[in-house]
Amino acid sequence: MSVVTASSVPARRPAWVNSEELDQAMAEVQPLLTDFSEADHATLRRLTKRRLRQEIDFISNEKFTSVREGKRIFTQTLGLAPRETAIGIATIRRSGVDLPIHLGRLCEAPLLKPEQERMLFERMNYLLQQAAIHRSVLNPERPSRLRLELIELFVALADWHRDRIVEANLRLVFSIVKKFVNPNNTFDDLLSDGIVALIRAVEKFDFDRGFRFSTYATQVVRRNSYRTVVEKQQERQKVQGGLQDMDIDVSEEERSSAISEKRWHELRSRLSVMLGDLDRREKFIIRARFSLGPHRKVHTLQSLADRLGVSKERVRQLERRAMDKLRAMAGDVQLAELEA
């Protein structure tokens, strides 16, 4: 493989950027681009260093190495159909969830034909590959205004094509996440997480393997929604267990009917305040033992002893002392305020 150098990659706008196929995308991204014309040398150096810290990920393809590839890709007619309000309204009505009608605007893009889907993925990844090439030859000591402009333009155009894929698949996200809605997981929260998962799926999908993106996206969004529901349930169980250990009653009736979101956040807030009154070691032990905060798993007494450099029995004593303090503080908690 030949080494890419600044001289082998001229800092000039390629002819295919002026293709009619990119007119709409160019018109929409142009107002979002940075104006580098007034940037002095020091500013360009700073911007170059910042760009070098930002990785540009893409799905590579052996065809992208051809110097004629840009012309080939952007002379093909994409032919996206216009958005339709009726499609969005129909999606909301079919969702089976009581949603504000404005959410229908997210689903107004028609479904993509297989060839359109492939072309969008190909264009997006080619643009990112071009941006990555120019990024690879950036030099903070000799910053190039034009090269920075090209990188930003290519990334913005890639994002425009990515967004067209995301828009066309939002109805898929609606249909998946509505199945996971329950009293503890609202449609809005699941939809937000689902859209993020969809975007990640677009960025990771290899368009050249011959599969439809919807098949891959369905698995990604469904798995993400399931993980979100499970993690939230586990978090609630941890906090409820902590409340019981501090002699704060959480009745069976409350557990079966689910604590309201307001009360749930208030309980967590109260626990956070009480933990703040413990000393550093006590706080660390309680969080680690109950898997609170940054701790993803319950730690054993021995593992904490090793971390703190004390005996296992000493950790047990510190835990007992911390629990006694929390029980005393819990006795002063006015649960009526939380239940209101």
Side-chain angles (χ1 to χ4, degrees), residues 138-158:
L138 286 177
N139 183 352
E141 301 308 315
R142 300 181 62 185
S144 168
R145 176 182 286 104
L146 182 53
R147 209 176 288 281
L148 287 171
E149 290 175 347
L150 283 173
I151 295 171
E152 185 175 30
L153 174 62
F154 291 151
V155 170
L157 289 172

Side-chain angles (χ1 to χ4, degrees), residues 3 9 16 71 74 93 99 108 130 164 208 221 245 267 273 299 316:
V3 177
V9 184
W16 52 260
K71 181 179 180 180
F74 294 103
R93 289 175 176 170
L99 298 173
E108 293 177 353
Q130 293 297 298
R164 303 291 78 75
D208 207 31
V221 175
D245 284 331
L267 286 171
V273 171
H299 291 258
R316 193 192 309 277

Side-chain angles (χ1 to χ4, degrees), residues 56-86:
I56 299 177
D57 296 322
F58 61 95
I59 303 299
S60 61
N61 191 288
E62 60 181 13
K63 292 186 295 186
F64 291 171
T65 58
S66 170
V67 294
R68 299 178 181 274
E69 190 64 4
K71 181 179 180 180
R72 181 192 70 80
I73 290 176
F74 294 103
T75 53
Q76 299 179 70
T77 302
L78 182 58
L80 293 178
R83 299 166 65 92
E84 297 181 30
T85 302

Side-chain angles (χ1 to χ4, degrees), residues 202-238:
V202 171
E203 294 170 345
K204 299 296 183 183
F205 181 69
D206 189 343
F207 66 92
D208 207 31
R209 291 191 175 183
F211 302 107
R212 285 303 303 269
F213 173 68
S214 58
T215 303
Y216 174 67
T218 296
Q219 296 301 317
V220 172
V221 175
R222 183 181 293 152
R223 186 165 55 245
N224 182 78
S225 297
Y226 177 77
R227 183 167 53 245
T228 297
V229 171
V230 170
E231 288 178 351
K232 198 165 186 178
Q233 178 63 26
Q234 290 174 341
E235 184 180 13
R236 294 173 69 86
Q237 289 173 345
K238 290 172 189 175

Side-chain angles (χ1 to χ4, degrees), residues 83-97:
R83 299 166 65 92
E84 297 181 30
T85 302
I87 296 177
I89 294 175
T91 300
I92 292 297
R93 289 175 176 170
R94 288 196 304 267
S95 69
V97 184

Side-chain angles (χ1 to χ4, degrees), residues 26-274:
M26 287 289 289
E28 293 184 20
V29 305
Q30 199 66 49
L32 307 176
L33 300 178
T34 305
D35 182 4
F36 292 94
S37 61
E38 301 298 325
D40 57 21
H41 187 270
T43 300
L44 290 174
R45 283 189 60 192
R46 176 175 56 80
L47 293 174
T48 299
K49 290 179 179 179
R50 184 173 69 182
R51 175 56 72 179
L52 286 170
R53 291 194 296 269
Q54 300 168 340
E55 294 290 337
I56 299 177
D57 296 322
F58 61 95
I59 303 299
S60 61
N61 191 288
E62 60 181 13
K63 292 186 295 186
F64 291 171
T65 58
S66 170
V67 294
R68 299 178 181 274
E69 190 64 4
K71 181 179 180 180
R72 181 192 70 80
I73 290 176
F74 294 103
T75 53
Q76 299 179 70
T77 302
L78 182 58
L80 293 178
R83 299 166 65 92
E84 297 181 30
T85 302
I87 296 177
I89 294 175
T91 300
I92 292 297
R93 289 175 176 170
R94 288 196 304 267
S95 69
V97 184
D98 185 18
L99 298 173
I101 201 68
H102 70 80
L103 281 180
R105 296 180 61 186
L106 296 175
C107 303
E108 293 177 353
L111 296 177
L112 298 171
K113 298 176 182 178
E115 187 56 29
Q116 290 175 322
E117 180 179 280
R118 177 182 173 81
M119 290 172 65
L120 283 169
F121 274 107
E122 187 175 45
R123 290 182 177 192
M124 178 188 77
N125 285 286
Y126 181 74
L127 286 160
L128 290 172
Q129 184 246 25
Q130 293 297 298
I133 289 176
H134 284 282
R135 176 186 174 277
S136 70
V137 295
L138 286 177
N139 183 352
E141 301 308 315
R142 300 181 62 185
S144 168
R145 176 182 286 104
L146 182 53
R147 209 176 288 281
L148 287 171
E149 290 175 347
L150 283 173
I151 295 171
E152 185 175 30
L153 174 62
F154 291 151
V155 170
L157 289 172
D159 288 346
W160 185 91
H161 287 80
R162 178 203 64 193
D163 291 346
R164 303 291 78 75
I165 302 171
V166 170
E167 285 179 351
N169 286 276
L170 282 176
R171 275 172 284 168
L172 176 67
V173 179
F174 270 65
S175 68
I176 293 172
V177 302
K178 70 179 184 181
K179 299 174 183 177
F180 292 88
V181 174
N182 61 39
N184 299 323
N185 297 275
T186 66
F187 184 86
D188 284 349
D189 289 342
L190 289 170
L191 179 61
S192 297
D193 285 348
I195 292 175
V196 172
L198 177 64
I199 293 173
R200 288 200 302 266
V202 171
E203 294 170 345
K204 299 296 183 183
F205 181 69
D206 189 343
F207 66 92
D208 207 31
R209 291 191 175 183
F211 302 107
R212 285 303 303 269
F213 173 68
S214 58
T215 303
Y216 174 67
T218 296
Q219 296 301 317
V220 172
V221 175
R222 183 181 293 152
R223 186 165 55 245
N224 182 78
S225 297
Y226 177 77
R227 183 167 53 245
T228 297
V229 171
V230 170
E231 288 178 351
K232 198 165 186 178
Q233 178 63 26
Q234 290 174 341
E235 184 180 13
R236 294 173 69 86
Q237 289 173 345
K238 290 172 189 175
V239 175
Q240 288 178 350
L243 291 173
Q244 290 173 324
D245 284 331
M246 289 181 283
D247 291 342
I248 297 179
D249 178 54
V250 181
S251 69
E252 288 296 328
E253 180 181 357
E254 285 172 329
R255 283 200 293 273
S256 62
S257 62
I259 302 174
S260 70
E261 288 300 313
K262 179 181 178 182
R263 183 169 186 268
W264 173 252
H265 290 301
E266 287 174 334
L267 286 171
R268 289 199 56 171
S269 176
R270 187 62 61 92
L271 275 175
S272 177
V273 171
M274 291 193 293

